[in-house]
Every structure is written in C-alpha cells, then in structure tokens.
Amino acid sequence: MANEQAGDRSVLDERPAPFQVARDESVSGAHVLVVDDDPRLRRLLQRYLVEHGFRVTASASALEARQALGFMLPDAIVLDVTMPGETGLELTRALRTQGLDIPILLLTARGEPEDRITGLEAGADDYLGKPFEPRELLLRLKAHLRRLTPSAPADNLRVVRLGMVEFDPARGVLTGENGPVHLTGGEAALLAALSRRPNEVLSREEIAVALDMTEIGERAVDVQVTRLRRRIEPDPREPRYLHTIRGKGYVLKPGF
C-alpha cells in the first residue's frame, strides 16, 4: 500500500507529499467531475478530494464526461487538456457554448504561458500545469467554489452599476435583469480590482498582480478584459464602461 501511494504522488509531483489541509465546511459536499485519461491520476484525485469532503465523479474521456453531464450537474470540473479524441480545450469551449457556467479547472503537462492563455480563451476559470501538488489544486478549487457561495457584503465596498447589470465587489457577484451572470475566476477578479478603483486607470502590470497572472504576462490581461466586456457591455466592440487607455491600461467607468 505504501508503494502504491508513493507511486501515485509521483504522478503529480516529485516533491515530498503536501501537508493536509483543514476541511473547508463552506464547500464541503461539493460535487466535482474529474476528467483525465490517466487511471492513476484519476484514482489519486478522486481519493484526495473525497478525503477533503468532496463528492467526486470520475471520467476517462470527454465522451464519458458528456455522458455523465447528461444526468447530473457537478459544482465544478477538473479537466485534463491532452486526452485522446476530444481534448479538454475542445470540451471546455463546447460546454461554455452550451451555457454551462460552473468552474472549470484545466490540467495539462504543458505549462507555457501561451498554453495557459489558450485555456483562458477557451473559457476555463483556472489552469494548473503538471506536475502539481494536490494541495494547490484543492486550494484553487475551493477558491472558485467559495466565489459562488453568497456571503455578507462588506460595508466599505459599494455595488457598482454598469448599465443593466450591477456588480457587488464584496461578493464577486454580477447580476443582470434575469439574475446572476456567470463570471470565471479571472473575470470576477478583474472586475473586482477595477470596481475598487472606479474612474482610475489601472496598468496592465497592476491588473496582472491582482489576477495572479504575472507569470503569463500582459496578453492574459487583455484576454480577460475581452471576455469581461462580453459580460458587461451592450456592445463589446464599442465599450461604454470598460475603457482602454492607450499606453496606460484600463479604467472602469460605472454609470447608466
């Protein structure tokens, strides 16, 4: 048994096993769909997430994942990019096109910035390169799930009105005429950073720090801005609220 556990850990990372993370009751019982063609990795992730209070469904391919999604809706998806047949990127694009708005965290052996940007463009909420520590995956997953859990608003953060939608920076919730509007983790972090400093230009460097994207670079910021405009602008090609200031960065100008 000890040899099996050591072998499983090496699939993720050659560093020592991570220390245990206290169970987060705010996301306890959340249902995660894990999609990866590597049986050892699927088994390890399923066991690890279950140990930390999650319910887990595991699929070996995009086809199996589609079949699972036909009869259940998970709270989040952990999805490998490089699978035979339909790739994780292709499945992500398809699910977003179909309107599925739950968090999607991509796993890949390729860790280059360009690959991460491609994942964000496909509609993923987050991106984790292999090898990785299970604890990092766990913390990222919890962060995205907590973002979807309503919390009490902070007194010093005002709701920002952007035409027909409004954003609560304390809760990270965007609301439109028909109710909540899904934001990925990066979109929510970007809108929160801009909302905290309305009518003030933020440089791409400042935004990259707020989004924890300094390793990827400024193009990732531009990708998130483009995606966010689709959520808040009546016409993303003619921005009314989220403006580009050439050579300086971006500014959010709330209003009706």
Side-chain angles (χ1 to χ4, degrees):
M1 185 66 175
N3 289 337
E4 179 187 351
Q5 291 176 341
D8 279 316
R9 284 198 301 267
S10 68
V11 174
L12 299 182
D13 203 317
E14 297 179 357
R15 290 169 285 182
F19 57 83
Q20 292 293 307
V21 179
R23 179 169 295 188
D24 186 344
E25 295 301 329
S26 67
V27 298
S28 182
H31 189 180
V32 180
L33 174 61
V34 174
V35 189
D36 198 298
D37 63 316
D38 184 336
R40 295 176 63 199
L41 183 56
R42 283 200 314 276
R43 184 174 68 248
L44 185 147
L45 288 178
Q46 184 166 16
R47 182 173 65 216
Y48 187 80
L49 292 175
V50 167
E51 287 174 354
H52 288 83
F54 292 89
R55 294 179 293 122
V56 179
T57 297
S59 298
S61 66
L63 176 60
E64 285 189 15
R66 286 181 177 276
Q67 292 170 342
L69 290 168
F71 62 83
M72 63 90 173
L73 179 63
D75 297 296
I77 301 176
V78 176
L79 176 60
D80 184 37
V81 169
T82 53
M83 296 184 295
E86 186 178 14
T87 69
L89 289 176
E90 292 168 339
L91 180 59
T92 297
R93 291 191 187 98
L95 294 178
R96 292 306 191 214
T97 299
Q98 294 166 14
L100 188 68
D101 61 359
I102 63 175
I104 298 177
L105 193 155
L106 295 178
L107 304 177
T108 181
R110 299 175 298 181
E112 294 299 320
E114 190 66 26
D115 296 319
R116 299 184 186 184
I117 291 171
T118 301
L120 295 174
E121 290 175 331
D125 292 78
D126 210 341
Y127 201 96
L128 194 59
K130 300 177 184 177
F132 60 89
E133 288 191 3
R135 177 175 177 266
E136 182 177 2
L137 170 65
L138 180 66
L139 293 176
R140 287 174 180 261
L141 194 55
K142 285 182 175 181
H144 291 294
L145 290 170
R146 279 197 301 269
R147 179 176 55 81
L148 302 179
T149 303
S151 58
D155 294 336
N156 62 334
L157 294 176
R158 296 183 178 181
V159 171
V160 176
R161 187 74 187 185
L162 303 165
M164 302 305 294
V165 300
E166 61 181 26
F167 179 67
D168 184 343
R171 299 167 55 208
V173 175
L174 181 67
T175 305
E177 293 180 287
N178 299 317
V181 178
H182 171 74
L183 294 175
T184 66
E187 292 165 357
L190 171 60
L191 188 50
L194 293 166
S195 297
R196 285 177 169 85
R197 295 165 63 180
N199 299 304
E200 181 180 343
V201 179
L202 272 66
S203 69
R204 286 179 172 83
E205 293 81 3
E206 290 176 297
I207 295 174
V209 171
L211 272 59
D212 192 24
M213 289 183 173
T214 53
E215 294 183 1
I216 309 179
E218 295 182 2
R219 186 183 164 198
V221 172
D222 297 334
V223 169
Q224 293 292 5
V225 168
T226 298
R227 289 176 52 173
L228 181 57
R229 280 177 172 152
R230 295 173 187 154
R231 312 290 190 189
I232 66 174
E233 298 284 359
D235 182 357
R237 296 169 298 180
E238 297 289 340
R240 182 181 301 176
Y241 308 108
L242 179 47
H243 297 264
T244 302
I245 307 301
R246 188 177 299 275
K248 294 184 178 180
Y250 296 100
V251 58
L252 186 71
K253 296 184 178 181
F256 292 93

